[in-house]
Amino acid sequence: QKELLEYQKQEEYLRNTSKKQMIKNTQKEAHEKKVRDLEDKKLEAKRALMQKIIRENQMRMEKEERVKQLEDEEMELIHNLQNTQLLQKQAYEQLEKALEAGQEDL
């Protein structure tokens, strides 16, 4: 009888110890999963930020290239305008000389 009681106590103690260990393991696994999930979220946020930075840099570079193209185009147009103005001035001066020469002939 005494031995049976002792055996039952030991058995209950072992069951309780086993349950405690299972609870600890479950808690540990839950904690580790929470930590992993948090790390995954941080990593995903970092990736998203890097992609955003890359996209913004790409857009900035494209805009800078477009500005450079427009500046080059502007310089070419200014140069063409100056050439046109010079040609007009020369034509006007030639016209004046021709008119003066025509006046002298009269």
Side-chain angles (χ1 to χ4, degrees):
Q1 184 91 1
K2 220 178 185 185
E3 289 174 3
L4 183 61
L5 270 173
E6 194 63 37
Y7 176 75
Q8 288 174 341
K9 280 185 180 180
Q10 278 186 337
E11 201 173 87
E12 188 176 339
Y13 174 78
L14 289 174
R15 273 195 308 266
N16 288 341
T17 303
S18 178
K19 284 182 185 178
K20 283 181 187 178
Q21 190 60 43
M22 283 175 52
I23 291 170
K24 282 183 180 179
N25 288 346
T26 302
Q27 288 174 336
K28 182 180 178 187
E29 288 173 8
H31 175 72
E32 288 172 352
K33 184 181 183 319
K34 187 176 179 181
V35 168
R36 278 194 313 272
D37 289 346
L38 183 61
E39 288 300 316
D40 288 347
K41 282 184 180 180
K42 285 181 184 179
L43 186 60
E44 184 57 37
K46 187 176 181 179
R47 283 186 191 136
L49 180 61
M50 291 302 292
Q51 288 176 346
K52 181 180 178 185
I53 290 170
I54 289 169
R55 278 193 313 273
E56 287 177 354
N57 280 339
Q58 199 169 11
M59 286 174 53
R60 179 187 50 79
M61 287 170 42
E62 288 170 5
K63 287 179 181 180
E64 286 175 355
E65 180 61 28
R66 180 66 180 141
V67 167
K68 185 183 179 316
Q69 289 173 350
L70 290 172
E71 287 174 345
D72 290 346
E73 188 178 324
E74 180 185 32
M75 288 301 294
E76 184 178 339
L77 290 171
I78 289 171
H79 182 70
N80 290 344
L81 177 62
Q82 289 171 339
N83 286 341
T84 301
Q85 288 173 333
L86 182 61
L87 288 174
Q88 285 177 339
K89 182 180 177 186
Q90 290 171 348
Y92 182 77
E93 289 173 354
Q94 286 177 354
L95 180 61
E96 274 189 333
K97 286 180 184 177
L99 287 174
E100 286 174 8
Q103 290 277 335
E104 290 176 2
D105 288 343
L106 292 177

